[in-house]
Amino acid sequence: NLPKHNLWYFNGYDIDDAFDKYIADPVNHRPPTTYIGFPCTKDSTWPKRYPGTSNCILISDGIWDWFAKWASNPVHHRGEEYEEFKNQLAKHLLDILYETV
């Protein structure tokens, strides 16, 4: 029962304020906008190829500065602080998904 249309989440009516808060503190503020889509619902062959499985795409905002301090570390070797930061961003996105769909 997933939607076949794309969804947009907006964090309030004052998008400028939402962007300012999120860019300044992405751990404690939700993204101002998030795109939510379910490619599997647009593919008529999906249920035959992947029975009982669906997929979702979430796209949101971010800036390079948040990640710059880990740029010199190899992928998968950026440490616990990096993983925790990514997990907090992911939690915001999953909360938005669960509340929206």
Side-chain angles (χ1 to χ4, degrees), residues 49-89:
R49 294 184 298 132
Y50 307 101
T53 303
S54 59
N55 63 0
C56 175
I57 186 168
L58 299 166
I59 301 174
S60 191
D61 310 287
I63 60 171
W64 166 249
D65 292 348
W66 297 341
F67 301 95
K69 65 181 173 181
W70 296 292
S72 62
N73 299 70
V75 175
H76 304 296
H77 299 282
R78 294 183 175 158
E80 187 61 32
E81 181 186 8
Y82 175 78
E83 292 302 320
E84 183 57 37
F85 180 68
K86 286 194 325 179
N87 288 339
Q88 187 58 48
L89 297 179

Side-chain angles (χ1 to χ4, degrees), residues 4-99:
K4 293 185 178 180
H5 57 278
N6 300 326
L7 302 168
W8 279 97
Y9 163 86
F10 294 94
N11 187 2
Y13 291 101
D14 188 344
I15 295 298
D16 290 333
D17 182 59
F19 265 100
D20 291 344
K21 288 177 179 174
Y22 182 63
I23 297 303
D25 185 6
V27 170
N28 293 305
H29 294 279
R30 285 183 163 190
T33 61
T34 302
Y35 164 86
I36 304 169
F38 298 93
C40 60
T41 63
K42 298 168 182 73
D43 179 355
S44 62
T45 68
W46 185 272
K48 269 191 170 174
R49 294 184 298 132
Y50 307 101
T53 303
S54 59
N55 63 0
C56 175
I57 186 168
L58 299 166
I59 301 174
S60 191
D61 310 287
I63 60 171
W64 166 249
D65 292 348
W66 297 341
F67 301 95
K69 65 181 173 181
W70 296 292
S72 62
N73 299 70
V75 175
H76 304 296
H77 299 282
R78 294 183 175 158
E80 187 61 32
E81 181 186 8
Y82 175 78
E83 292 302 320
E84 183 57 37
F85 180 68
K86 286 194 325 179
N87 288 339
Q88 187 58 48
L89 297 179
K91 182 184 179 318
H92 287 314
L93 292 174
L94 289 172
D95 288 346
I96 290 166
L97 173 67
Y98 299 146
E99 291 170 15

